[in-house]
Amino acid sequence: MYGSAKVPEDSKRTAFRKAEKKYKLYYDDTSKSSKKRRQPKQVDLSEVLDFKSILESHRQNSDLPPGVVALHSDSDRPLFYLESRPGFYFVPEALSIEEQCQLIRESLTTFPQPPNRTNHNAFYGPLHDLFVAAKEKKVLVEEASVLTSSESECNPSTSNGDVHKWKFCEEHEVSSRGNTCKSISSSALLRKLRWSTLGLQFDWSKRNYNVSLPHNKIPDDLCQLAKRMAAPAMPKGEEFHPEAAIVNYFGMADTLGGHLDDMEADWSKPIVSMSLGCKAIFLLGGKSREDPPLAMFLRSGDIVLMAGEARECFHGVPRIFTDKEHAEIVPIESQFSVEDDICFLEYIRTSRININIRQVF
Ligand code: OGA
Ligand code: MN
């Protein structure tokens, strides 16, 4: 078989990679031949920790699964930790439905606004109002022009000095120009939005914070929320200072591979990680990729804290569930109105958003 040399045998894969493979989305080949929509393959979810049911049984004073401990913080929400992963905390249902909807709105409208950068910057330069453009079915069109040097700093340029500027246009404007310029629909761009960065800007190519890039502070309401949520995982007497956040956007087949977040100076401070939209599987490994990871569900409104030793643990998201039965987003769906919020509704029905907030220094 071609390419077989590149595919490692199962025995050569790390334990983390094996778990990623176990949970990732596969389609049933059997339904391909019939013209039905392809169905996701069933996976065995029996070993996935489910903090929703752990919370329910805890509320009924039932036993917790082995290795899971409940803590009672100042708020009325219990948080759980794992004996095997010191510094990792799980707060199920930490965000109210209203907070979730507000964060979903902001993640799609204000958070990706320049000077915040997104994955689209490298190719298109800064894009304003992508969500509005998608709502209005606009098209992003390339216009080659020669710019001044200060303008070209924020625009990707070609070797001949032409700068490719992209502009949102009405659909009819594009068709009247003919096929001479490159274009892409703004709804396709919204679907391809993978990340945006708030506060100090993270440079993905160098995997560090580029403090010289222009940036705004983390919005105040998000900052207050993160401070409140971080409190139980903070070293005694210290306050969390949110300085940067990465917003991850996941479509149906998107995953986040196993990684460490190691570019912050002080690992005693937690990363505050919020889940919105469709349910996901989160893998929490150990300090080596060879350590078998624990799998757990992350639902809309759950918050995870990773501090101390847990900052050294590999983690990732191999799967999101976008089907009605498993996505578990009915409460947030019913909060968005069909008349005014149809675009948010359509987006979140098949997507997950993760906001993770960090103190960098
Ligand atoms: C990250 C991360 C986890 C998630 O962005 O570094 O680990 O739940 N995200 O999406
Ligand atoms: Mn991470």
Side-chain angles (χ1 to χ4, degrees), residues 2 5 12 44 65 69 103 154 167 207 216 255 257-258 274 307 317 334:
Y2 59 85
K12 288 190 193 136
D44 175 7
V69 185
L103 287 169
C154 54
K167 212 176 111 188
R207 282 200 55 80
N216 294 334
T255 61
M274 307 176 176
V317 179
S334 49

PDB file of all heavy atoms in Angstrom, residues 2 5 12 44 65 69 103 154 167 207 216 255 257-258 274 307 317 334:
ATOM      1  N   TYR A   2       0.525   2.272  -0.812  1.00  0.00           N
ATOM      2  CA  TYR A   2       1.374   3.449  -0.853  1.00  0.00           C
ATOM      3  C   TYR A   2       1.341   4.186   0.486  1.00  0.00           C
ATOM      4  O   TYR A   2       0.368   4.163   1.205  1.00  0.00           O
ATOM      5  CB  TYR A   2       0.963   4.380  -1.999  1.00  0.00           C
ATOM      6  CG  TYR A   2      -0.455   4.863  -1.924  1.00  0.00           C
ATOM      7  CD1 TYR A   2      -0.793   5.972  -1.162  1.00  0.00           C
ATOM      8  CD2 TYR A   2      -1.465   4.195  -2.607  1.00  0.00           C
ATOM      9  CE1 TYR A   2      -2.097   6.410  -1.087  1.00  0.00           C
ATOM     10  CE2 TYR A   2      -2.765   4.626  -2.529  1.00  0.00           C
ATOM     11  CZ  TYR A   2      -3.075   5.738  -1.775  1.00  0.00           C
ATOM     12  OH  TYR A   2      -4.354   6.170  -1.694  1.00  0.00           O
ATOM     13  N   ALA A   5       4.986   3.348   4.646  1.00  0.00           N
ATOM     14  CA  ALA A   5       6.209   3.579   5.421  1.00  0.00           C
ATOM     15  C   ALA A   5       6.035   4.756   6.377  1.00  0.00           C
ATOM     16  O   ALA A   5       6.692   4.832   7.405  1.00  0.00           O
ATOM     17  CB  ALA A   5       7.372   3.841   4.485  1.00  0.00           C
ATOM     18  N   LYS A  12       4.344   1.788  17.818  1.00  0.00           N
ATOM     19  CA  LYS A  12       5.329   2.880  17.854  1.00  0.00           C
ATOM     20  C   LYS A  12       4.690   4.207  18.231  1.00  0.00           C
ATOM     21  O   LYS A  12       5.384   5.190  18.443  1.00  0.00           O
ATOM     22  CB  LYS A  12       6.008   3.004  16.496  1.00  0.00           C
ATOM     23  CG  LYS A  12       6.962   1.877  16.223  1.00  0.00           C
ATOM     24  CD  LYS A  12       7.795   2.162  14.985  1.00  0.00           C
ATOM     25  CE  LYS A  12       8.504   0.907  14.529  1.00  0.00           C
ATOM     26  NZ  LYS A  12       8.420   0.734  13.083  1.00  0.00           N
ATOM     27  N   ASP A  44     -16.284   4.130  21.459  1.00  0.00           N
ATOM     28  CA  ASP A  44     -16.541   3.685  22.825  1.00  0.00           C
ATOM     29  C   ASP A  44     -16.201   4.833  23.783  1.00  0.00           C
ATOM     30  O   ASP A  44     -15.041   5.205  23.939  1.00  0.00           O
ATOM     31  CB  ASP A  44     -15.663   2.458  23.111  1.00  0.00           C
ATOM     32  CG  ASP A  44     -15.795   2.003  24.559  1.00  0.00           C
ATOM     33  OD1 ASP A  44     -16.658   2.541  25.280  1.00  0.00           O
ATOM     34  OD2 ASP A  44     -15.011   1.113  24.963  1.00  0.00           O
ATOM     35  N   PRO A  65     -16.247   9.018  41.706  1.00  0.00           N
ATOM     36  CA  PRO A  65     -15.398   7.960  41.136  1.00  0.00           C
ATOM     37  C   PRO A  65     -14.025   7.979  41.816  1.00  0.00           C
ATOM     38  O   PRO A  65     -13.600   9.024  42.319  1.00  0.00           O
ATOM     39  CB  PRO A  65     -15.265   8.367  39.663  1.00  0.00           C
ATOM     40  CG  PRO A  65     -16.263   9.421  39.420  1.00  0.00           C
ATOM     41  CD  PRO A  65     -16.631  10.034  40.727  1.00  0.00           C
ATOM     42  N   VAL A  69     -11.845  14.237  43.567  1.00  0.00           N
ATOM     43  CA  VAL A  69     -12.104  14.872  44.862  1.00  0.00           C
ATOM     44  C   VAL A  69     -12.890  16.160  44.639  1.00  0.00           C
ATOM     45  O   VAL A  69     -12.617  16.893  43.682  1.00  0.00           O
ATOM     46  CB  VAL A  69     -10.770  15.206  45.584  1.00  0.00           C
ATOM     47  CG1 VAL A  69     -11.019  15.749  46.988  1.00  0.00           C
ATOM     48  CG2 VAL A  69      -9.868  13.982  45.633  1.00  0.00           C
ATOM     49  N   LEU A 103     -20.423  35.443  25.735  1.00  0.00           N
ATOM     50  CA  LEU A 103     -19.062  35.120  25.299  1.00  0.00           C
ATOM     51  C   LEU A 103     -19.042  34.592  23.860  1.00  0.00           C
ATOM     52  O   LEU A 103     -18.102  34.850  23.102  1.00  0.00           O
ATOM     53  CB  LEU A 103     -18.427  34.096  26.252  1.00  0.00           C
ATOM     54  CG  LEU A 103     -18.019  34.661  27.618  1.00  0.00           C
ATOM     55  CD1 LEU A 103     -17.657  33.534  28.588  1.00  0.00           C
ATOM     56  CD2 LEU A 103     -16.831  35.619  27.481  1.00  0.00           C
ATOM     57  N   CYS A 154       1.367  46.280   7.708  1.00  0.00           N
ATOM     58  CA  CYS A 154       0.309  45.397   8.195  1.00  0.00           C
ATOM     59  C   CYS A 154      -0.384  44.672   7.046  1.00  0.00           C
ATOM     60  O   CYS A 154      -1.475  44.158   7.180  1.00  0.00           O
ATOM     61  CB  CYS A 154      -0.691  46.154   9.063  1.00  0.00           C
ATOM     62  SG  CYS A 154      -1.364  47.587   8.272  1.00  0.00           S
ATOM     63  N   LYS A 167     -10.683  43.431   0.537  1.00  0.00           N
ATOM     64  CA  LYS A 167     -11.783  44.310   0.923  1.00  0.00           C
ATOM     65  C   LYS A 167     -13.101  43.555   0.823  1.00  0.00           C
ATOM     66  O   LYS A 167     -13.308  42.799  -0.136  1.00  0.00           O
ATOM     67  CB  LYS A 167     -11.802  45.469  -0.096  1.00  0.00           C
ATOM     68  CG  LYS A 167     -12.264  46.789   0.459  1.00  0.00           C
ATOM     69  CD  LYS A 167     -12.134  47.847  -0.602  1.00  0.00           C
ATOM     70  CE  LYS A 167     -13.517  48.275  -1.039  1.00  0.00           C
ATOM     71  NZ  LYS A 167     -13.523  49.178  -2.198  1.00  0.00           N
ATOM     72  N   ARG A 207       6.019  30.800  18.352  1.00  0.00           N
ATOM     73  CA  ARG A 207       5.473  30.238  19.596  1.00  0.00           C
ATOM     74  C   ARG A 207       5.893  31.049  20.827  1.00  0.00           C
ATOM     75  O   ARG A 207       6.323  30.497  21.827  1.00  0.00           O
ATOM     76  CB  ARG A 207       5.876  28.751  19.754  1.00  0.00           C
ATOM     77  CG  ARG A 207       5.036  27.806  18.877  1.00  0.00           C
ATOM     78  CD  ARG A 207       5.066  26.379  19.366  1.00  0.00           C
ATOM     79  NE  ARG A 207       4.650  26.246  20.753  1.00  0.00           N
ATOM     80  CZ  ARG A 207       3.390  26.227  21.160  1.00  0.00           C
ATOM     81  NH1 ARG A 207       2.406  26.294  20.308  1.00  0.00           N
ATOM     82  NH2 ARG A 207       3.114  26.121  22.442  1.00  0.00           N
ATOM     83  N   ASN A 216      -4.794  45.535  22.576  1.00  0.00           N
ATOM     84  CA  ASN A 216      -5.676  46.094  23.603  1.00  0.00           C
ATOM     85  C   ASN A 216      -5.586  45.213  24.828  1.00  0.00           C
ATOM     86  O   ASN A 216      -5.205  44.045  24.729  1.00  0.00           O
ATOM     87  CB  ASN A 216      -7.131  46.090  23.117  1.00  0.00           C
ATOM     88  CG  ASN A 216      -7.322  47.025  21.948  1.00  0.00           C
ATOM     89  OD1 ASN A 216      -6.582  47.985  21.789  1.00  0.00           O
ATOM     90  ND2 ASN A 216      -8.320  46.735  21.119  1.00  0.00           N
ATOM     91  N   THR A 255      -9.518  19.627  15.346  1.00  0.00           N
ATOM     92  CA  THR A 255      -8.968  19.055  16.580  1.00  0.00           C
ATOM     93  C   THR A 255      -7.830  19.958  17.056  1.00  0.00           C
ATOM     94  O   THR A 255      -7.356  20.816  16.303  1.00  0.00           O
ATOM     95  CB  THR A 255      -8.395  17.649  16.325  1.00  0.00           C
ATOM     96  OG1 THR A 255      -7.351  17.758  15.361  1.00  0.00           O
ATOM     97  CG2 THR A 255      -9.447  16.678  15.821  1.00  0.00           C
ATOM     98  N   GLY A 257      -4.168  19.232  18.616  1.00  0.00           N
ATOM     99  CA  GLY A 257      -3.230  18.149  18.923  1.00  0.00           C
ATOM    100  C   GLY A 257      -2.590  18.314  20.301  1.00  0.00           C
ATOM    101  O   GLY A 257      -2.564  19.422  20.853  1.00  0.00           O
ATOM    102  N   GLY A 258      -2.083  17.228  20.832  1.00  0.00           N
ATOM    103  CA  GLY A 258      -1.452  17.246  22.151  1.00  0.00           C
ATOM    104  C   GLY A 258      -0.323  18.269  22.215  1.00  0.00           C
ATOM    105  O   GLY A 258       0.508  18.329  21.320  1.00  0.00           O
ATOM    106  N   MET A 274     -12.188  28.155  29.087  1.00  0.00           N
ATOM    107  CA  MET A 274     -13.654  28.109  29.076  1.00  0.00           C
ATOM    108  C   MET A 274     -14.162  27.435  27.802  1.00  0.00           C
ATOM    109  O   MET A 274     -13.674  27.720  26.708  1.00  0.00           O
ATOM    110  CB  MET A 274     -14.223  29.527  29.078  1.00  0.00           C
ATOM    111  CG  MET A 274     -13.682  30.391  30.185  1.00  0.00           C
ATOM    112  SD  MET A 274     -14.329  32.064  30.034  1.00  0.00           S
ATOM    113  CE  MET A 274     -13.623  32.776  31.532  1.00  0.00           C
ATOM    114  N   ALA A 307      -2.825  24.585  36.608  1.00  0.00           N
ATOM    115  CA  ALA A 307      -1.789  25.336  37.323  1.00  0.00           C
ATOM    116  C   ALA A 307      -0.741  24.354  37.833  1.00  0.00           C
ATOM    117  O   ALA A 307      -0.972  23.139  37.874  1.00  0.00           O
ATOM    118  CB  ALA A 307      -2.418  26.088  38.496  1.00  0.00           C
ATOM    119  N   VAL A 317      -7.492  18.330  22.258  1.00  0.00           N
ATOM    120  CA  VAL A 317      -8.926  18.102  21.999  1.00  0.00           C
ATOM    121  C   VAL A 317      -9.056  17.288  20.710  1.00  0.00           C
ATOM    122  O   VAL A 317      -8.930  17.842  19.618  1.00  0.00           O
ATOM    123  CB  VAL A 317      -9.679  19.451  21.878  1.00  0.00           C
ATOM    124  CG1 VAL A 317     -11.164  19.235  21.574  1.00  0.00           C
ATOM    125  CG2 VAL A 317      -9.512  20.291  23.131  1.00  0.00           C
ATOM    126  N   SER A 334     -31.703  27.819  22.823  1.00  0.00           N
ATOM    127  CA  SER A 334     -33.000  28.428  23.101  1.00  0.00           C
ATOM    128  C   SER A 334     -32.859  29.872  23.581  1.00  0.00           C
ATOM    129  O   SER A 334     -33.823  30.624  23.578  1.00  0.00           O
ATOM    130  CB  SER A 334     -33.783  27.587  24.109  1.00  0.00           C
ATOM    131  OG  SER A 334     -32.961  27.290  25.192  1.00  0.00           O
TER     132      SER A 334
END
